[in-house]
Each structure stands twice: as C-alpha cells, then as structure tokens.
Amino acid sequence: MAETKNMIVNMGPQHPATHGVLRVVLELDGEIVVKATPHLGHLHRGLEKLAETKTYHQALTLTDRMDYTGALINNLGYCLAVEKLLDIEDRIPERATVLRVLLCELQRIAGHLLWLATHALDMGAMTVLFYAFRERETVIDLLEDVTGARLTPSFVRVGGLAQDAPPVFFEKARRFVQDFPSKMAEYERLLTDNRIWRERTEGIGILSREDCIQYALTGPVLRAAGVEWDLRKKQPYCGYETYDFEIPTGTKGDVFERYLVRLEEMRQSLRIVEQALDRVPDGPVMADEAVVSPPPKEEVYEDIGQLIRHFKWMSAGFPVPEGDVYVGVEATKGELGYYLVSDGSEKPYRFRVRPPCFVNLQALEDMIVGRMVADVIAVIGSLDIVLGEIDR
Amino acid sequence: MLDFVIESVIKVVVVFAVLMLFVAYTTWIERKVLGRIQVRHGPNRVGPFGLLQPIADGLKGFFKEDIIPSNTDRLLYALAPALSIIPALLVVAVIPFGDQFTLFGRTITMRITDINVGLLYILGLAGLGEYGVMLGGWASNNRYGLLGSLRTAAQMISYELALGITLISVIMVSGSLSLVEIVEAQAGLWNVFKPILWVPFILYIICGLAEINRTPFDMPEAESELACGFNIEYSSMKFAMFFMAEYAHAISLAALITCLFLGGWNLPFVATPGFLKLPVFLAKVFALVFFFVWERGTFPRLRYDQIMRFGWKVLMPIALANIVVVGLYYTVIA
C-alpha cells in the first residue's frame, strides 16, 4: 500500500479570507485540519518602538493604525493612559467625555458592521456584505462630520477632543439611531434563521468558558462562552457606569453565538449612543490645562506669546511626570490595554500595547484542529482579527 | 441528404451564435440583478446600461497574457477548459426551442436534432462536463486547485445520481426519453402542475444547482476558502472558457428544466399559437436564470461535508421514494 502523507496548505498571507496578512500553515488530511500554525509579522511596523521616538501627542497617530476598524477607541485608550500619568483625569470637560463615549460607540457599531460584512462574505452570503457596508458608510460619514477623517481620525486627544462636534452631526446621529434597528432586522432575516447559516456556524469553533479564561481571551469571543466580562461595566471609564446597557453573553461559545453576541452588542451600543445624545452638555471639549492643550488657533494668530507656546508645544511636546500606568478599554475586539512608562520627558520611555486580537488568535488552533477547511474560515471570521493590531 | 446537411449546419451555427450571445448576456444579467439586490449599480460604464460590458470582458480575455504555471500537466491543463465548455454547448443540440415553421417551402424544426434517447444523451454529457473542472484543478498543480477538484469529483458524482434518479419519474409520466415528446406531452398541463411532480421539480432544481456549482453549492471554487479553487491557476481565455462554461451550464440547465417540468414552449392551460412558442420558451429560460441569480444573492455557502450529507442522506432517499410514489400513483390512477 502506498504511503499517504498529509498535505500542507499555506493559507495566506495573500488569501481573501484571512482578513489581512495572516498566514496559517495548515496540515490537512483530506479536508480535515490536523495542525494549524499561524505565522505573524507580515504587517509589523514596529509601532511600539516607534512611539518611543515620538512625543506623547505625536504617538497618538500611531494608535489609529493598530485596529484601524476601531481607531477612535484606540485613541481613547491611549489618551486615558496619558491622562492618568498626568493625573488630569477629573479635569476632562464633561462634554468631551460624553462625546468620547458617543463617538466610540458609533465606532464600535462601524467595527462590528465591518466584521459582519466580511464574516458573511467568507461564508458565501455576499449580499450581507453590501447591506452592512451601506450602514457602515452612514456611521463613517457621521464620524467624518465630527473628526474630518474616515479611517484614522486621531481625534481623541490628551485632555479632551481635537474639536467640537458640529450641530449637524447630532441631527444625523439621531436619524441613524432611528433607522438602524430596521437595518439590523434585515441582517437577521438574511442570516439568523437561515438554515445554511446555522449549519455553518452552530457548534463550530467551540471554546469553553475555562479555555477562554486560560487563554485570557476577551471581547465577544469570551462573552459568547458565557463570561460576563466587559470593561465598560467591570472597570468603567468615561462614565460608562452611568449609562444603561447590558452585556450580551452566550452559553456555548460557538461561532453562531459570537455572531449573536456581536449583533446584540450593536444594539446595546445604539442604546448608549441614544443616551449620550440626550445628555451632551454644552461647554468646552478640551481641558483647560496649559500643559496638555495647545493654545487656541485664534490666539496663535493674534498673540506672540501664544504663537511661541504653540511652536514649543508642537515641536517639543509636553512633559509627563515619571511613573508607569496601565489602562484597559473595551475595544470592539476585546480588552485593549496600554502600558506606558514615563521617565519624566516629553516622550514615552516604553509604549506597550495589549492587543485583544493577538491574544484571541492564540485559541485558533484549538478551535480548528479536527475540523474542515471551510470551518477555518468561519472560525477566523468569528475571532474578528485585525492584523494591524496583531502585528503592530 | 445534402439539403439536410446544409440545414443542420445552418442551425448549428445559428444556435451556437445565439447561445454564446446568451451566455455573454447572462453574465450581464447576473451582474445587473445582483447589483439590484445588493444596493449597487452593476456594470453601467460600457455602453448604455453597461450593455457592451460582456463584449469588453471577452475582448479583455483575449488580450490578457496566458500564463501557464510551471510543473503543470500541459496537455490536461489546456484541455480542461475545453472539456468544461463543450458538453455544456452540446446539451443544447437536443433542446427543442419551438415547434416548427416553414421557410422557402421547407418545414424547419426549431431544434438541431431530436434523438429518441435525448435524456440519456444529456446525462452522459453532464457526466463528461465534470472532467473539465476535475482535470483543471488537478493539472494546474496547485493545492487549492486540487482541493477544489476533489470537491468537484465528490459533489458532482453524488448529485448526478440523485439528478438521474429524479428524471426517471418524468420519464415514467411522459413515457418517452425524447425531449420533444416530453414537451408535447405537456401541452395544456405542465409537468410541474401534475400530481406529485412538483417533488422531482424541486429536487431537480437543487441537484441542478449543485451540478452547475452555484451557490449554495459552489464548493469547487468557494472563493473565500479555496481562493477560487479549480480555476485558481487559469488566466486569459482559458479562464474565460471556464467562466463561459459555467454560464452555458446554467442556461442549458434552465432550458432542461423548462422542457422537463415547465412545459417547454407551451403556455399553461391553453394552446400556444405558433409564433409565441419561441418567446414563451425563452421567457421561461430567463425566468429560471433570474432565479439562479436571485438565490445566489440570498444564500450563504454550505460546507463540503454538509453538501455530501444532504446529497446522500436527504436527496437520494427522496428521489428514490419519489419514483415509487409517482409510479404507484400514475399506475393506480391510470
């Protein structure tokens, strides 16, 4: 009898369904996965090291480029960390805090919509892609109205926000809050009760509660396994404890429940957006701290003193007291943590990120060994990875 | 004899030309209809409503570089696209588009030929069509291609069985293997409206979709898993031939379903005037093509083992039971 040998398939880095440049080396017995080894680093840009050469203000733009589907949340986490180092957390104006929450939740909806679109496309349901992108476009337009950018806004600043939101944004956001539930129903009609969708997702890529905790997974993947863990509730920041929302959880922890959890998270985010819209107070959006905030543009043009301060602030940056700090925020994919060490200068001594996707990706092999190639795609999709964040 | 040959050649040329035109414009229909479903426009730059798009695509196919990867089996690699498209075109030879008309004192039938074992001929060709896809994936020496062709082999063979068995009930009711006679037997009442025959109709559509690799059965080329599967290494006209073969298969499947279940050129319940027969036939074919596009815009893709399970554990038993039930019903009633 001829000797049989398993086939090695190199899935990625150029593959339509590995969501970027993830490379998974699959050992296949027929179509059954025997071994799966993820290879990382194709998108490594050395952001963490690079940040050490930038001032605290400049390093902000690097955070956008990690999880580019949730850039504002990345900004927020970083700014919260720097603010904690500066010890100005309670001097952030109320309007800025509420707007931060509002924008971050819109960003979360956009991020989840992108996930839904690509996940459905991976499973062959291509129409959902276009529907989800249609709504994502609305959200991105909303964010653009405020931040001026669509993908990498760098809008949340140390001490507040870069600008105030224009009145038109609030109108449009309210309209979106009204329209969006019917659009969600549309996705559900196409997928949730679809026999084929359920066959493809139910019971696939199961991770138990214990496994999730062992791997330190966070985000929807953890919640689908039944662990009620959301930093917005458990370690509230930006006043999340004052908003009324729930943490959706699952019980089985399969691909289908991750899908349900994310859909429900969009609804909860919408609730937060609605509440935030109702309570946006008037006032400034930047802390009145001479140290962290650049002088207002009008004064820069008029006043020589402010002009000098502007140049000083923009070129040298602002010093941050010595110390180290870890701040975690609930990003779209899980806990996004920033560990900053300051030596008292204007540049971070150490800039370290705890990316949720990188941690979540560990569980990949556990979930796909013994399953078929098509399930690999389903599982990768359900992890919702962004390579910009995994490789940094 | 000579005039028969001339008549046949003319018919073959005309049918081939029209068929290829339909194939080209089926891609346009697919893109336009999918565009409508998916809140976008579809092709609208080349010509009015993008009507020249298929021609532009064809031209582009010719001008693209034909890349043959190293370490391929060159003969099979070149043969596979042809093997894929030829059976799809040959099927049309036995499809009756209409009745007959008189031109210059000659009675001309609206079909290339009517062989008395037409259905067997079609089943034979359908079996042949798989080789193109199978060999294409195999010969291109690519692992994704190989996986694609393995899937094809398994999927098509299992669905072919159910497909063939489904046909038996139609043959029993019509009492003939000739497509012309099957169509004529449906004058007044289409097969699909006859008792129980809606079951084989649905079975046939499902098996047919699997046979032509359309969503939700588009395993061999599942683009998100196998990055295009069997045709991954093909470029230029060789790729275009696979592409055309897919649409030619879709059209011939639509034509077959029309003949077998939807009464061919017959209008429902009333006699069809001669000049309406061809339009009626084409309308049905394109309604089915529209259906194929529609379901593609709706369904996700099944997994390979689920497709196999569905084929063997659901479709096969139903198809077998269908024969018994149809046989019993029609003998007892008759």
Side-chain angles (χ1 to χ4, degrees):
Chain A
M1 189 165 154
E3 194 190 339
T4 59
K5 184 164 92 169
N6 289 340
M7 182 162 73
I8 308 281
V9 170
N10 188 26
M11 190 176 250
Q14 304 100 337
H15 187 282
T18 55
H19 293 232
V21 285
L22 174 66
R23 173 176 163 226
V24 187
V25 176
L26 296 174
E27 195 179 321
L28 298 179
D29 177 10
E31 282 220 20
I32 309 283
V33 178
V34 181
K35 192 166 184 289
T37 321
H39 288 243
L40 310 176
H42 293 279
L43 201 62
H44 182 69
R45 293 149 296 176
L47 289 187
E48 289 179 353
K49 192 70 192 164
L50 195 58
E52 291 170 17
T53 67
K54 308 268 179 215
T55 66
Y56 283 95
H57 179 62
Q58 290 167 333
L60 176 69
T61 52
L62 300 177
T63 62
D64 281 320
R65 280 133 184 99
M66 292 189 308
D67 176 6
Y68 39 79
T69 67
L72 282 166
I73 305 176
N74 296 6
N75 293 165
L76 179 68
Y78 170 73
C79 291
L80 288 176
V82 180
E83 282 160 11
K84 203 166 173 185
L85 270 177
L86 286 162
D87 199 21
I88 54 165
E89 291 154 291
D90 35 331
R91 302 232 274 285
I92 311 300
E94 182 60 18
R95 185 176 172 86
T97 308
V98 175
L99 276 177
R100 279 176 173 187
V101 169
L102 178 52
L103 293 174
C104 284
E105 291 310 313
L106 283 173
Q107 180 83 76
R108 191 183 311 276
I109 292 174
H112 278 354
L113 280 173
L114 185 72
W115 157 80
L116 177 68
T118 50
H119 188 40
L121 182 68
D122 288 347
M123 308 279 228
M126 59 170 165
T127 301
V128 181
L129 171 94
F130 292 94
Y131 289 179
F133 259 82
R134 179 183 59 191
E135 271 70 69
R136 179 172 181 268
E137 196 63 22
T138 321
V139 184
I140 296 286
D141 281 348
L142 277 172
L143 295 177
E144 191 186 1
D145 280 345
V146 184
T147 65
R150 294 165 59 83
L151 196 67
T152 54
S154 293
F155 187 71
V156 182
R157 297 286 164 84
V158 177
L161 296 174
Q163 284 169 23
D164 202 351
V168 62
F169 161 74
F170 296 102
E171 275 167 49
K172 282 193 189 171
R174 276 187 197 285
R175 218 172 307 142
F176 172 73
V177 168
Q178 261 173 16
D179 290 349
F180 192 57
S182 65
K183 303 286 162 60
M184 293 274 302
E186 212 165 273
Y187 314 142
E188 292 238 50
R189 266 209 303 283
L190 274 167
L191 295 178
T192 309
D193 293 327
N194 187 321
R195 257 308 279 285
I196 300 177
W197 179 258
R198 295 189 86 130
E199 292 266 327
R200 282 299 305 276
T201 54
E202 272 180 327
I204 310 294
I206 295 181
L207 262 192
S208 69
R209 206 187 141 91
E210 289 70 38
D211 285 347
C212 285
I213 295 171
Q214 288 277 309
Y215 275 126
L217 303 193
T218 46
V221 183
L222 174 73
R223 289 192 280 274
V227 186
E228 205 191 17
W229 181 257
D230 188 321
L231 288 184
R232 291 175 295 172
K233 279 267 194 219
K234 305 291 174 186
Q235 295 170 11
Y237 51 92
C238 285
Y240 267 113
E241 67 276 14
T242 58
Y243 294 89
D244 188 17
F245 68 101
E246 274 133 43
I247 311 175
T249 52
T251 48
K252 295 198 287 290
D254 57 2
V255 173
F256 184 64
E257 288 201 325
R258 283 173 212 147
Y259 155 82
L260 287 183
V261 163
R262 288 202 178 89
L263 280 192
E264 189 52 35
E265 275 185 38
M266 283 200 258
R267 293 208 181 85
Q268 298 299 334
S269 289
L270 203 67
R271 275 176 74 187
I272 302 176
V273 168
E274 203 173 359
Q275 293 167 47
L277 278 173
D278 287 337
R279 64 161 84 162
V280 182
D282 288 332
V285 293
M286 198 66 188
D288 192 22
E289 288 292 315
V291 188
V292 292
S293 42
K297 260 281 161 18
E298 310 82 60
E299 291 176 25
V300 172
Y301 293 137
E302 304 287 327
D303 181 350
I304 183 70
Q306 294 289 47
L307 182 65
I308 293 168
R309 232 198 93 209
H310 174 86
F311 275 115
K312 171 89 172 100
W313 195 93
M314 287 295 173
S315 51
F318 49 86
V320 169
E322 236 180 282
D324 62 337
V325 67
Y326 175 86
V327 168
V329 293
E330 188 69 29
T332 51
K333 278 99 180 134
E335 174 174 350
L336 170 71
Y338 286 91
Y339 177 66
L340 297 180
V341 181
S342 168
D343 56 359
S345 70
E346 288 87 359
K347 293 171 182 170
Y349 177 76
R350 180 78 173 97
F351 178 101
R352 162 80 188 142
V353 183
R354 183 234 185 249
C357 294
F358 181 71
V359 180
N360 291 356
L361 190 64
Q362 302 171 81
L364 180 69
E365 186 171 4
D366 271 15
M367 286 191 275
I368 58 180
V369 164
R371 306 218 64 107
M372 307 196 76
V373 178
D375 293 333
V376 176
I377 302 305
V379 167
I380 292 180
S382 78
L383 280 175
D384 190 14
I385 51 169
V386 165
L387 267 293
E389 184 177 89
I390 290 173
D391 289 341
R392 299 188 297 290
Chain B
M1 186 61 203
L2 184 66
D3 51 347
F4 169 75
V5 171
I6 292 172
E7 187 193 319
S8 292
V9 166
I10 291 174
K11 277 202 280 201
V12 166
V13 169
V14 169
V15 169
F16 177 75
V18 172
L19 180 67
M20 288 319 276
L21 193 73
F22 281 175
V23 166
Y25 277 90
T26 306
T27 66
W28 180 83
I29 291 174
E30 165 135 45
R31 294 169 69 177
K32 271 298 193 194
V33 173
L34 268 186
R36 274 285 144 186
I37 294 173
Q38 298 169 343
V39 288
R40 57 194 175 87
H41 291 287
N44 64 355
R45 293 289 146 213
V46 191
F49 308 108
L51 271 172
L52 297 178
Q53 187 71 47
I55 294 159
D57 287 344
L59 277 176
K60 190 180 74 176
F62 276 111
F63 287 123
K64 288 277 175 186
E65 187 187 353
D66 185 18
I67 301 164
I68 301 178
S70 52
N71 296 325
T72 50
D73 186 327
R74 287 194 163 233
L75 177 67
L76 292 182
Y77 182 81
L79 205 59
L83 267 180
S84 183
I85 194 166
I86 290 172
L89 299 178
L90 286 182
V91 167
V92 179
V94 292
I95 301 226
F97 318 106
D99 210 0
Q100 53 195 17
F101 62 94
T102 317
L103 192 69
F104 309 124
R106 282 183 58 88
T107 309
I108 298 178
T109 50
M110 299 271 282
R111 57 182 170 264
I112 292 174
T113 179
D114 173 28
I115 47 182
N116 54 10
V117 289
L119 277 180
L120 285 183
Y121 167 82
I122 285 168
L123 283 177
L125 282 175
L128 210 57
E130 295 155 15
Y131 285 101
V133 176
M134 254 150 70
L135 290 177
W138 173 260
S140 49
N141 191 28
N142 179 301
R143 286 171 188 180
Y144 287 115
L146 179 65
L147 280 178
S149 56
L150 283 177
R151 287 176 171 193
T152 319
Q155 175 188 328
M156 285 184 157
I157 287 167
S158 27
Y159 276 77
E160 192 121 301
L161 272 174
L163 190 92
I165 291 172
T166 308
L167 279 182
I168 294 178
S169 56
V170 181
I171 299 168
M172 286 196 300
V173 174
S174 317
S176 169
L177 280 169
S178 148
L179 277 168
V180 178
E181 282 172 36
I182 291 177
V183 170
E184 277 165 357
Q186 295 179 64
L189 189 62
W190 299 356
N191 270 343
V192 63
F193 296 130
K194 288 177 184 164
I196 318 176
L197 280 190
W198 57 270
V199 179
F201 174 64
I202 292 170
L203 284 180
Y204 195 88
I205 287 189
I206 296 175
C207 296
L209 286 176
E211 180 83 14
I212 62 170
N213 299 329
R214 280 194 79 83
T215 322
F217 306 105
D218 56 344
M219 277 301 102
E221 56 171 309
E223 60 191 42
S224 57
E225 294 152 27
L226 301 184
C228 261
F230 70 93
N231 61 23
I232 187 168
E233 294 287 3
Y234 281 88
S235 53
S236 183
M237 265 332 264
K238 291 204 183 79
F239 171 75
M241 273 166 86
F242 272 128
F243 197 69
M244 285 191 292
E246 198 170 301
Y247 287 94
H249 274 296
I251 290 180
S252 57
L253 176 71
L256 264 179
I257 295 177
T258 305
C259 289
L260 293 175
F261 294 100
L262 299 179
W265 61 74
N266 292 308
L267 281 171
F269 312 117
V270 290
T272 320
F275 68 92
L276 264 183
K277 284 180 176 169
L278 185 61
V280 164
F281 180 83
L282 290 180
K284 288 174 187 172
V285 168
F286 279 101
L288 281 166
V289 167
F290 175 80
F291 170 77
F292 296 159
V293 177
W294 183 16
E295 60 84 28
R296 183 177 174 199
T298 313
F299 288 131
R301 179 186 306 124
L302 277 161
R303 206 174 57 211
Y304 165 62
D305 60 321
Q306 289 165 345
I307 287 185
M308 297 302 285
R309 204 166 52 225
F310 182 64
W312 286 102
K313 292 194 176 167
V314 180
L315 286 183
M316 273 294 278
I318 296 180
L320 286 170
N322 174 56
I323 297 179
V324 178
V325 174
V326 170
L328 277 178
Y329 181 85
Y330 281 90
T331 40
V332 169
I333 294 294

